[in-house]
Amino acid sequence: MFKRKTLAALTFTALVSLTSAAFAEDASIRFAWWGNEARAANTLKVIKLFEEKNPGITVKAEYSGYDGYQTRLSTQFAGGTEPDVMQVLLAWLPMFSKKGDGFEDINKFSSLINLEEFPKTTLEQVSINGKMQGVPIGSTGFLFLYNKEPWQKAKIDYPKTWDELFEAGKLMRERLGDDYYPLDPTTQGSFLISLSWAMQKYNVNFIDPDEPKVSMSEEQVADWLRFFKRLENEHVLVSIKARTAMGGANKPTSQMPDWVEGKWGGVYSQDSTLTSRADTLTGGLDQLEVGPYIMLPDAKTAGTMSRTGFIYSISKHSKQQEAAAKFINFLTTDAEAARIIGTSRAIPASKTQWDVLTKENLIPPIQKIGTGQIMELNEEGLVPRFSLYFEHPLIYKLLFNTFEELSFDKTTPEEAAPKLIKEATRILSRL
């Protein structure tokens, strides 16, 4: 996964030792994050361990549920009262740090945060204008996860190509009935699966990764939308329209009765959430398998969206930035911290924490397989860069609305393409 030189690790250790004098006086830092009760309990344990190992540094925990977290953080930013260390979504960077000056540059703390632990591509994702806006907590990517039961029942192999996927939709319907589908994607999965195909075909992303502008031409966008409609019409995907009739277009797959009953053959899922798909299956994780990433012949990109989800950032207003940096390094690279936190935030991005969790079997085997597949695609240069603006709430809302209208036949790909480009361009121009 990672290749690191022993010399770099020894040098970093020496630098940390040299800076220990910086914490001779007591330092108190505030740390804000969101999450469920389990995440809160584990994080509080890690904070206690850090304080025991770093006498003189006190960490004040400020945690809550996800709802309202971003709003509260925005209010604090406006008044310059944000916490010293903050858990932030990567997608929020354009809102909080459009030009790379919203958070303190992590590069300043290279003697305290071992950046050698992290993949270069991951660090690039959190950098704006050469300024690193946070430390990646973990990384995740989308892949094809299957419930092996209907595939075995229909005697169909997992598809490796898009043609094989369409054939699977046809055969599953013929052999098992109209209620059986190869994939249930949710609305987000619908536009990401079809976008993956479009990127493989055209080797261009919808939004430019370097500038806030639409990269695809009108015909390319129309082709993307036509492919989505074909996936629904040819019984490959559970349609957004059908999902809505079943109780919700974006209701989690694991909560849908047809998934529980083994009628849906798989999902397009992030590797960090694979285990949650097994919660309602009688066979649990043993019923799930990671399939090959579906590709076009000679494609130069897989088109999968792989990125760090969460990051830890340091406030520009913090008076204890070095203590904050030392705390972040502990959270993201310490072996004991990894054992406590596990994968509650994501698959760890750092080498040390990944090694600890994998060697001690603290990551489910299927999750190791899924993450391994994303790593291999990355090493082969097949994982594309996505714009930070792609997951902006306004862009996502636009995509959700467009694909729902397509599924309900309220518009056509040819009608929707120019409107999608025009509205995305308008949104991006204002961000």
Side-chain angles (χ1 to χ4, degrees):
M1 174 184 178
F2 300 94
K3 294 181 180 179
R4 298 286 182 264
K5 296 181 180 180
T6 302
L7 178 60
L10 292 173
T11 301
F12 177 77
T13 302
L15 287 170
V16 171
S17 298
L18 288 172
T19 57
S20 61
F23 307 100
E25 297 182 4
D26 289 349
S28 178
I29 58 175
R30 295 161 53 210
F31 172 40
W33 78 91
W34 74 88
N36 55 26
E37 292 182 4
R39 179 184 291 176
N42 290 340
T43 306
L44 291 173
K45 289 179 183 178
V46 170
I47 289 174
K48 182 179 179 181
L49 181 62
F50 172 78
E51 290 176 336
E52 290 173 354
K53 290 189 172 185
N54 297 273
I57 302 180
T58 302
V59 180
K60 180 182 178 182
E62 299 179 6
Y63 56 96
S64 65
Y66 180 77
D67 291 342
Y69 179 89
Q70 182 187 344
T71 301
R72 184 171 65 256
L73 200 60
S74 298
T75 301
Q76 292 173 329
F77 257 84
T81 61
E82 69 271 17
D84 301 274
V85 178
M86 296 155 277
Q87 177 179 299
V88 180
L89 278 176
L90 180 69
W92 294 350
L93 289 187
M95 292 178 274
F96 286 111
S97 188
K98 184 176 181 179
K99 297 181 180 180
D101 54 7
F103 300 103
E104 194 58 73
D105 184 4
I106 296 297
N107 290 306
K108 295 180 179 180
F109 310 107
S110 58
S111 64
L112 294 169
I113 302 175
N114 191 358
L115 300 177
E116 290 291 321
E117 284 270 342
F118 304 91
K120 182 180 178 182
T121 53
T122 305
L123 296 179
E124 289 174 347
Q125 291 176 6
V126 301
S127 296
I128 300 175
N129 293 330
K131 299 176 182 179
M132 198 177 301
Q133 297 301 283
V135 176
I137 300 172
S139 57
T140 185
F142 282 80
L143 43 73
F144 294 91
L145 176 71
Y146 297 114
N147 174 0
K148 61 185 179 183
E149 189 175 89
W151 294 87
Q152 293 175 349
K153 191 175 180 180
K155 298 180 180 180
I156 306 172
D157 293 331
Y158 299 140
K160 297 179 180 179
T161 67
W162 296 102
D163 287 342
E164 290 176 356
L165 177 60
F166 282 105
E167 182 66 13
K170 175 184 175 183
L171 294 177
M172 197 169 284
R173 187 178 194 179
E174 289 177 353
R175 296 174 183 178
L176 302 180
D178 289 345
D179 292 340
Y180 287 79
Y181 292 82
L183 291 169
D184 171 57
T186 72
T187 304
Q188 180 192 33
S190 293
F191 62 71
L192 288 178
I193 287 175
S194 48
L195 179 60
S196 175
W197 171 85
M199 291 179 66
Q200 290 177 23
K201 181 175 181 180
Y202 295 109
N203 196 31
V204 61
N205 210 328
F206 176 54
I207 298 178
D208 190 286
D210 296 311
E211 299 180 57
K213 67 178 184 180
V214 174
S215 294
M216 285 184 169
S217 68
E218 184 177 319
E219 178 52 33
Q220 289 170 341
V221 171
D223 211 14
W224 167 22
L225 304 184
R226 281 192 290 266
F227 188 77
F228 158 70
K229 284 297 293 181
R230 184 187 171 198
L231 287 168
E232 284 198 343
N233 292 340
E234 296 191 25
H235 211 76
V236 172
L237 304 183
V238 181
S239 71
I240 297 171
K241 181 179 180 179
R243 269 185 137 268
T244 302
M246 294 177 192
N250 296 300
K251 192 173 181 179
T253 297
S254 60
Q255 296 178 20
M256 301 295 277
D258 282 14
W259 169 260
V260 179
E261 294 171 13
K263 294 180 180 179
W264 293 349
V267 292
Y268 190 59
S269 173
Q270 297 179 75
D271 61 312
S272 59
T273 62
L274 295 185
T275 56
S276 67
R277 310 297 182 178
D279 291 345
T280 53
L281 296 178
T282 54
L285 284 176
D286 291 338
Q287 206 167 316
L288 299 178
E289 294 180 333
V290 175
Y293 198 87
I294 300 174
M295 296 280 289
L296 283 173
D298 302 320
K300 296 180 180 179
T301 177
T304 180
M305 186 168 68
S306 175
R307 75 278 190 258
T308 182
F310 306 130
I311 64 175
Y312 289 132
S313 298
I314 296 176
S315 167
K316 291 182 70 71
H317 302 106
S318 172
K319 299 184 184 303
Q320 302 290 349
Q321 290 185 347
E322 290 188 345
K326 192 172 185 181
F327 178 56
I328 288 178
N329 185 65
F330 185 81
L331 286 172
T332 56
T333 68
D334 184 81
E336 291 184 65
R339 294 186 183 99
I340 296 171
I341 297 173
T343 60
S344 63
R345 278 183 168 85
I347 302 295
S350 77
K351 175 187 182 303
T352 295
Q353 293 196 340
W354 166 263
D355 287 347
V356 167
L357 296 187
T358 53
K359 289 177 181 177
E360 298 181 15
N361 296 317
L362 297 175
I363 296 179
I366 191 170
Q367 209 154 22
K368 287 195 286 187
I369 292 171
T371 300
Q373 183 182 99
I374 298 298
M375 291 176 184
E376 289 178 8
L377 290 172
N378 212 332
E379 290 172 359
E380 293 171 10
L382 294 173
V383 174
R385 289 175 57 213
F386 270 75
S387 168
L388 290 173
Y389 292 98
F390 181 77
E391 292 183 275
H392 190 282
L394 292 177
I395 294 295
Y396 251 40
K397 183 179 180 181
L398 173 63
L399 290 170
F400 273 65
N401 291 342
T402 301
F403 278 74
E404 285 181 357
E405 289 182 359
L406 286 165
S407 185
F408 278 85
D409 293 320
K410 293 182 178 179
T411 187
T412 66
E414 292 72 27
E415 292 170 342
K419 292 180 181 179
L420 179 58
I421 292 174
K422 181 179 180 180
E423 184 61 18
T425 300
R426 184 190 68 81
I427 293 171
L428 292 170
S429 68
R430 296 183 178 184
L431 296 180

